[in-house]
Amino acid sequence: MEARKKTKTPPAGTKKLSKSAKQPPKKENDPKKALEEELKSLIPRLDEEGLTFLIQQAQVHLYNMQVDELNKTMMRTAPREKAADSSEKAKKNSQELRIEASNDKSSFYLVHSNHWIMLTDEEMIQLVKIASARGVTNAEKTEALYRWLERERTDIFGEIPIEDENDEILLNLIRLIKKTFALRYK
């Protein structure tokens, strides 16, 4: 008599599952999973101080991730019109001029488009004289200012885009100088 092996057969209408179907498929080369496993293997070897440090670092990192996500969300939801308005303002501000005095008032800064150009007090006096000249048209003042810059401070042309003696920037600079400084005549 021959011994037969007994095999279990599934009930009618069901399919036999393979071993791979019973277990969820493993992701190969999952870097996060590998890091988690490495961290788990290190935990038993750490003392209390080391574990406290890791927890604090993890909390800081989670907080930073939240801040980054909030910043990204804010950037995505910012209205496009605001960006257009700010670019218009930036363009306008790049053409604006201002004069700042140093703390000790021994020098001045001509500020244009985030370029700070230092002028001595003697140079500023010369610019004030040109801008405040009596009996001279604005066209003559802008030409005189352009010539003075050509002669004394050619470096300013590299910082401020002045094309010629008729440039609007020169007229704005003359107005600014007159508004900022008063030349007293005797």
Side-chain angles (χ1 to χ4, degrees), residues 29-46:
N29 299 330
D30 184 1
K32 183 178 179 191
K33 203 65 156 168
L35 291 171
E36 287 174 0
E37 292 301 320
E38 184 177 351
L39 185 58
K40 284 178 188 176
S41 71
L42 293 173
I43 289 174
R45 297 177 13 208
L46 292 172

Side-chain angles (χ1 to χ4, degrees), residues 98-165:
R98 71 177 195 272
I99 297 172
E100 301 279 335
S102 65
N103 290 340
D104 62 358
K105 308 279 193 250
S106 66
S107 60
F108 297 88
Y109 295 93
L110 178 59
V111 184
H112 179 270
S113 187
N114 295 325
H115 295 286
W116 289 65
I117 303 160
M118 190 178 91
L119 298 166
T120 64
D121 59 341
E122 292 88 16
E123 289 172 324
M124 187 54 69
I125 290 170
Q126 291 298 315
L127 295 180
V128 171
K129 286 180 180 178
I130 292 169
S132 302
R134 289 185 170 176
V136 179
T137 66
N138 281 339
E140 291 170 326
K141 290 178 185 180
T142 58
E143 184 178 344
L145 180 57
Y146 185 82
R147 298 289 171 239
W148 185 89
L149 291 172
E150 270 186 328
R151 189 176 59 252
E152 303 292 331
R153 293 295 304 268
T154 56
D155 61 302
I156 292 177
F157 293 118
E159 302 296 327
I160 301 176
I162 300 171
E163 294 180 19
D164 58 25
E165 61 269 359

